Amino acid sequence: MKQNFTKIIVETNKQKIIEITDQIQSIIKSSGITDGLVTLYIKHTSASLIIQENADPDVLRDIQKYFDRLVPMNESDYIHRAEGPDDMPAHIKSLLTSTHLSIPFQAKNLSLGTWQGIFLFEHRIDPSSRIVEIHVIGE
């Protein structure tokens, strides 16, 4: 059993969904591990990680629109407003999605479905540097 720890930094500049599949795949290929599990963990409370369709960009736009309707940026709805109108909505969106993912891989390839990709879902408006911790374990 071997394991590898690393991280990536994803720069964001607005609320959006950013694909990171290729970066994760590259880390697996260079890890020296052929078969195993990769765990991703984002170290933030206002961004999240998702697995979603990566073929039609309209899917990602619709998801973003849905979350914006589900959790509106209306300051009068929230007590916590320390960092602006997107602060508390970003925390709620993160709560509704996930801060971590675990994905198996075989023969150094992610075991994703045909149309699946790994994405960082940025919930804040202002630019941010998001850290994603990556743990690769296997044989």
Side-chain angles (χ1 to χ4, degrees), residues 15 41-49 71 80 82-83 86-100 120-124 128-132:
Q15 291 181 330
Y41 173 68
I42 190 164
K43 300 176 84 166
H44 305 280
T45 60
S46 55
S48 54
L49 299 169
V71 187
H80 176 74
E83 297 175 40
D86 66 338
D87 191 17
M88 193 61 213
H91 292 303
I92 294 170
K93 290 174 184 178
S94 178
L95 171 74
L96 294 173
T97 49
S98 186
T99 57
H100 64 282
L120 185 147
F121 193 174
E122 176 59 65
H123 305 303
R124 299 299 304 263
S128 296
S129 293
R130 300 303 190 172
I131 299 168
V132 179

Side-chain angles (χ1 to χ4, degrees), residues 18 39 62-63 79 105 108 114 130:
I18 303 162
T39 300
D62 286 344
I63 289 169
I79 297 167
F105 63 91
K108 296 189 176 190
T114 302
R130 300 303 190 172

